[in-house]
Amino acid sequence: MADLQHDYPWTKYPLVACGPMRLIALSKIAVEVSKAGGLGFIGVGSDASIMEAELDKAKQQASQTATLQDQNEILPVGVGFLLWAGDKLLEEALPLLEKYKPAAVWLFAPTEPGQLVRWTESTRRVTGGKTMIWVQISTVADALEVTRTCQPDVLVVQGADAGGHGLEKCAGLIPLLPEVDDAVSALCKEQHDLPKPQLVAAGGIMDGRGAAAALTLGASGITMGTRYLASPEANIAKGYRDAVLKASDGGVTTERGKLYDTLRGTTDWPLRYGGRGVLNESHRDAAQGMSLEENKRLYEAAVKKGDEGWGESARLTTYAGSGVGLVREVKSAADITEEVREDAKQILSSIASRL
Ligand SMILES: Cc1cc2nc3c(=O)[nH]c(=O)nc-3n(C[C@H](O)[C@H](O)[C@H](O)COP(=O)(O)O)c2cc1C
């Protein structure tokens, strides 16, 4: 079985990664996370138009950082794609993957399983196997299918609490991760030539306590999205960041669904996915029967308000996970990465010392 610190020598155990939040996680945050001994991802999403410029910036920034130089010809950040965008995205991405050889591609939300196989095979071919394959899944069945068909290096196991998009039906991390671990271990034991992927946990991890829990469940590393929204390096409006800092009790103040995609016009997601965001006026009005047409009109008017458009009593989309109440202050992406990693180690060793 691969070892993440061996594959990514600049990283420290346990691996802390920043999720490839589309157009929010760009080269700036990705490099800061990697500089702090984690792995940062650039969220290219469904359209490759920003990919070359961001990879280029990441390359330049990494070349100025002693710990990130000379990484065996790989760029020490990853790149995330939304596969429902189709094969055009793959065609556009491949020459850039070949040129920059990022540390990982993070594949998410295919419309059919064959897409994952095409991305995996062609990425490995053009990068000579230097770019690792990470696939984000949320069910045991998907974990088994992806392991069989793609032999990924990493399965990102995303639980129900995750911010942004995920499966509308899936379990939380506490039952999901060990069940995936057991099922994938059994499959790889049965089929001797099938390497077991590393498991990286995602969904509801906001601090060292959540990270320590994920490690005890069988993860080799963790990914956060929502927590990094409160870093100055995340490419979001102040109004969005303030709404994240203000929200609490996310089990009741956030929900996963399709309303915000419908209002924003991002309706290409496969049916089984929804986006988790903070509930606001758009949601309340829809629940009380406002027509979609009127809701959209008000949404577009709110866009024009800028920062004032976000908040509990406003209308704009605030994608965030149910752990949002634990995000209480703005901190640099590097400090978040280091703090979560060191707190997790400290918690685990203090528990071990009492056994
Ligand atoms: C605002 C936001 C945008 C996201 N965008 C993407 C994306 O474009 N691609 C992707 O694979 N995951 C995306 N995610 C999901 C993350 O990769 C990850 O699974 C999630 O953030 C983990 O849960 P957490 O938010 O509780 O930390 C997004 C998450 C958030 C909060």
Side-chain angles (χ1 to χ4, degrees):
M1 188 165 78
D3 171 274
L4 292 172
Q5 274 60 51
H6 175 264
D7 295 332
Y8 305 133
W10 69 91
T11 66
K12 297 180 183 157
Y13 180 83
L15 185 81
V16 174
C18 169
M21 296 178 280
R22 186 179 82 98
L23 305 184
I24 293 176
L26 298 177
S27 55
K28 204 169 172 186
I29 195 167
V31 173
E32 285 305 307
V33 171
S34 292
K35 268 189 195 171
L39 178 61
F41 278 84
I42 296 170
V44 166
S46 53
D47 163 2
S49 56
I50 59 140
M51 186 173 164
E52 177 147 35
E54 291 304 316
L55 283 171
D56 210 54
K57 278 189 243 167
K59 190 174 173 179
Q60 281 176 30
Q61 290 163 35
S63 71
Q64 290 159 13
T65 308
T67 54
L68 299 182
Q69 289 163 357
D70 304 323
Q71 294 301 330
N72 191 24
E73 294 171 46
I74 61 166
L75 185 62
V77 296
V79 194
F81 300 99
L82 297 170
L83 270 56
W84 52 254
D87 285 352
K88 182 168 173 277
L89 177 63
L90 174 61
E91 279 159 31
E92 289 169 1
L94 279 179
L96 299 174
L97 292 175
E98 181 172 10
K99 180 172 170 191
Y100 290 94
K101 297 186 180 56
V105 290
W106 168 308
L107 310 177
F108 186 43
T111 39
E112 43 95 13
Q115 281 182 316
L116 280 170
V117 177
R118 289 197 290 284
W119 272 85
T120 301
E121 286 175 354
S122 41
T123 300
R124 284 186 169 138
R125 177 170 42 78
V126 300
T127 66
K130 288 192 184 293
T131 296
M132 304 268 155
I133 309 293
W134 291 38
V135 181
Q136 182 164 247
I137 52 88
S138 291
T139 68
V140 176
D142 284 352
L144 289 173
E145 160 119 17
V146 170
T147 304
R148 248 189 238 110
T149 56
C150 300
Q151 305 187 2
D153 301 286
V154 169
L155 280 176
V156 182
V157 182
Q158 186 199 45
D161 291 305
H165 286 82
L167 288 190
E168 290 207 344
K169 271 191 183 173
C170 68
L173 260 186
I174 288 192
L176 180 63
L177 209 139
E179 193 177 348
V180 165
D181 195 6
D182 287 353
V184 169
S185 298
L187 175 71
C188 295
K189 203 169 164 197
E190 192 184 293
Q191 298 188 16
H192 300 294
D193 53 344
L194 206 54
K196 189 182 168 206
Q198 300 276 331
L199 304 181
V200 168
I205 302 169
M206 300 292 137
D207 57 24
R209 294 170 293 184
L215 297 173
T216 65
L217 295 170
S220 309
I222 64 108
T223 291
M224 294 178 293
T226 300
R227 174 79 197 265
Y228 283 114
L229 292 175
S231 70
E233 294 89 351
N235 185 38
I236 59 173
K238 181 178 179 301
Y240 184 173
R241 184 172 294 124
D242 288 347
V244 167
L245 289 167
K246 216 167 161 202
S248 62
D249 209 2
V252 282
T253 59
T254 72
E255 200 174 281
R256 186 177 296 294
K258 299 194 190 326
L259 176 68
Y260 296 109
D261 273 334
T262 313
L263 294 173
R264 284 157 28 117
T266 47
T267 51
D268 295 327
W269 282 85
L271 213 59
R272 58 186 194 139
Y273 293 87
R276 181 180 289 284
V278 180
L279 302 180
N280 59 17
E281 286 293 306
S282 300
H283 185 273
R284 273 186 289 277
D285 284 342
Q288 282 166 23
M290 180 184 277
S291 72
L292 191 57
E293 201 184 15
E294 175 64 358
N295 212 337
K296 262 190 178 168
R297 193 187 65 73
L298 292 172
Y299 192 92
E300 276 149 29
V303 171
K304 297 193 184 113
K305 289 187 183 167
D307 290 330
E308 302 298 307
W310 277 275
E312 213 188 315
S313 320
R315 309 198 75 85
L316 297 184
T317 310
T318 308
Y319 281 138
S322 45
V324 67
L326 290 164
V327 183
R328 299 188 184 113
E329 57 178 340
V330 175
K331 252 193 187 173
S332 75
D335 285 351
I336 293 172
T337 306
E338 207 171 307
E339 177 202 287
V340 170
R341 180 178 65 230
E342 296 310 316
D343 282 357
K345 284 199 296 204
Q346 203 262 318
I347 290 164
L348 290 171
S349 65
S350 117
I351 292 171
S353 72
R354 297 177 67 186
L355 299 176

